[in-house]
Structures are given as C-alpha cells and as structure tokens.
C-alpha cells in the first residue's frame, strides 16, 4: 500500500504522458479523429466494439454523454479496436523517444512488467483488456511506456472502485481530487458544484482503497525491490519532464 501511494504520481504522469503528446494528437487528426474521440475510443477500444454505456461504465468518471459523443464520433472513422491499436502504437513511439535512454530503463522494464503480470484484473475491465492487447513495439523504451500505461489503467480502475465504495459520485470525486473543478469540466460535468470540504475525507478514503488495490501488484516484491521501483520511477519522472521544459 505504501509503495503504491509513493509511486502513484509518477505512474500517472509517465503512464499518461503519451496521451497529451502533440505527435499523438497529430496522429489522431491524420486518422480523422478529434483528440477527445481518440481519448475515449482509444482507452475504451480495448474492450472491443461495445455499446457506449458499457464504455462509460468502464471509464467511470466521465459523463455518459461525453463518452457517447467521443465513441460515436470515433466509430464513424475507425473501429474502436483499431483506435486502441493506434493509441498503443503511439504509447510505444513515445516510450522509444522519451524513455529509451532514461537511467536504469532496463530495470524499470523488469520491475514494472513484473508488477503488471502480478496485478489482479478482477473488477478492472479496462486494465485487463489493455493487458491482453498485443504490443506492437519492442525495445526498453516502448516496453517501459506500455507497462507504465498498464499500471496507470490498473490504478485508475482501483480508484474508481474506491470512489464508488466511498459513496462519492464521479463528479464529487473529481472536484475533491488534485485537479479540482478543472477535471470535472474536462470530463463533462457542468457547474454548479457542491462544496469541496465535506468531500475530502471520502476522497482520501477512496485514494487509500486505490493504494491498497494497486499495492497488490507489488506484494510479492522484496522490500528492496519496492524501494528501488519507487526511486527509479521518481528519477525517471524528473528526467523526462525536465527535458520537456
């Protein structure tokens, strides 16, 4: 649990960086997709060509209407599985460009892939679907990026379980989270919003549940391996995001 909490920020930043990469967004436009359609169908497309409500349930924190808009727009250009495959290729491309020469990248691959394989996918359909997808890239940078993306999806699913168990609505969970109302707006929730202060304790509880579920992936690591993983993740985050300034 402590390892998952300490690694959460690095996993979220590194595992999601390719989604915001200008080259990923440019590739989406080349495929006839908006950035939003690529995000929704890219993440949800690992589930296959399912109904929008199914995708909304798996994503969890986005309004069903916003999911439906992105999903239907993407399906007019490509099948959801194709969008997911393109997004996975962009993840590999980003990793090859930004992680291949990161310090201790081989060890990062070894530890993150070990965690991905050990993680339990029960109740986490997006993580399980993404883990089952064939990886198009090779090399340590691409492999590290994919493993980090999978760990990010694992934690996102774990957080959703915590949010629902805490009694928070998706919108309440977002405004009580680190990005506050900006996250709520980005995911389609419109004001007025409730006061944040009464929600913070339940959001902290949901985060603790996410730590506990995410921590299961490293429960068979030695204490030394857990500490090493956290250190490498933090060092890699500093290296990658310092370069981008």
């Amino acid at each position: 649990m402590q390892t998952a909490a300490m690694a959460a920020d690095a996993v979220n930043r590194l595992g999601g960086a390719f989604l915001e990469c200008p080259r990923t967004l440019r590739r989406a436009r080349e495929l006839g997709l908006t950035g939003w359609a690529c995000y929704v169908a890219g993440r949800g497309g690992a589930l296959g060509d399912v109904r929008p409500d199914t995708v909304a349930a798996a994503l969890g924190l986005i309004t069903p209407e916003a999911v439906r808009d992105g999903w239907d727009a993407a399906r007019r250009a490509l099948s959801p599985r194709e969008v997911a495959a393109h997004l996975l290729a962009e993840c590999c491309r980003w990793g090859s460009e930004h992680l291949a020469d990161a310090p201790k990248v081989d060890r990062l691959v070894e530890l993150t892939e070990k965690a991905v394989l050990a993680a339990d996918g029960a109740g986490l359909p997006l993580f399980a679907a993404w883990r089952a997808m064939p990886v198009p890239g090779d090399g340590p940078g691409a492999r590290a990026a994919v493993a980090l993306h999978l760990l990010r999806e694992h934690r996102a699913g774990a957080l959703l379980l915590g949010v629902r168990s805490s009694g928070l609505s998706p919108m309440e969970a977002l405004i009580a989270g680190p990005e506050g109302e900006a996250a709520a707006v980005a995911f389609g929730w419109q004001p007025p919003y409730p006061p944040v202060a009464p929600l913070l304790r339940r959001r902290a509880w949901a985060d603790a549940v996410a730590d506990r579920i995410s921590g299961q992936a490293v429960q068979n690591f030695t204490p030394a391996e857990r500490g090493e993983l956290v250190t490498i993740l933090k060092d890699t985050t500093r290296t990658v995001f310092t370069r981008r300034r």
Side-chain angles (χ1 to χ4, degrees), residues 3 104 106-108 110-111 221-236:
T3 301
K104 299 185 178 179
D106 291 326
R107 185 60 171 159
L108 176 64
E110 184 179 355
L111 292 172
F221 282 34
T222 66
E225 286 177 324
R226 291 176 192 148
E228 186 181 11
L229 175 60
V230 170
T231 298
I232 294 175
L233 283 170
K234 290 184 176 180
D235 289 346
T236 303

Side-chain angles (χ1 to χ4, degrees), residues 159-180:
L159 178 60
L160 182 59
L161 294 177
V163 165
R164 300 324 306 263
S165 299
S166 73
L168 289 169
S169 70
M171 181 265 287
E172 290 172 336
L174 290 169
I175 67 169
E179 297 179 24

Side-chain angles (χ1 to χ4, degrees), residues 10 13 25 30 58 60 64 70 94 97 165 169 175 189 215 219:
R13 294 183 70 188
L25 298 176
E30 291 170 355
W94 184 90
E97 292 178 355
S165 299
S169 70
I175 67 169
W189 303 100
Q219 67 181 1

Side-chain angles (χ1 to χ4, degrees), residues 28-239:
R29 290 193 295 271
E30 291 170 355
L31 296 169
L33 304 171
T34 65
W36 181 247
C38 183
Y39 177 83
V40 170
R43 284 188 65 201
L47 298 170
D49 195 3
V50 298
R51 295 178 182 275
D53 288 349
T54 302
V55 182
L59 293 172
L61 298 181
I62 307 174
T63 64
E65 294 78 13
V67 171
R68 189 177 301 111
D69 287 347
W71 189 256
D72 289 345
R75 289 182 74 250
R76 288 193 286 270
L78 294 169
S79 74
R81 286 192 186 277
E82 289 176 315
V83 180
H86 283 294
L87 199 64
L88 184 56
E90 288 303 303
C91 179
C92 292
R93 187 267 311 159
W94 184 90
S96 296
E97 292 178 355
H98 296 275
L99 298 178
D101 60 349
K104 299 185 178 179
V105 65
D106 291 326
R107 185 60 171 159
L108 176 64
V109 170
E110 184 179 355
L111 292 172
T112 53
E113 288 186 345
K114 180 179 177 179
V116 166
L117 290 173
D120 188 348
L124 307 172
L126 277 182
F127 165 73
W130 271 99
R131 186 169 59 178
M133 289 185 65
V135 179
D138 198 4
R143 288 173 60 187
V146 171
L148 288 163
H149 171 58
L150 288 170
L151 291 177
R152 184 176 184 265
E153 286 290 0
H154 187 262
R155 183 173 181 88
L159 178 60
L160 182 59
L161 294 177
V163 165
R164 300 324 306 263
S165 299
S166 73
L168 289 169
S169 70
M171 181 265 287
E172 290 172 336
L174 290 169
I175 67 169
E179 297 179 24
E181 293 182 2
V185 171
F187 281 2
W189 303 100
Q190 299 300 315
Y193 302 120
V196 173
L199 307 175
L200 294 178
R201 181 174 295 180
R202 280 187 287 167
R203 172 62 198 233
W205 189 87
D207 286 328
V209 171
D211 291 338
R212 185 173 298 279
I213 295 173
S214 299
Q216 174 269 334
V218 296
Q219 67 181 1
N220 291 327
F221 282 34
T222 66
E225 286 177 324
R226 291 176 192 148
E228 186 181 11
L229 175 60
V230 170
T231 298
I232 294 175
L233 283 170
K234 290 184 176 180
D235 289 346
T236 303
T237 301
R238 281 193 295 268
T239 298

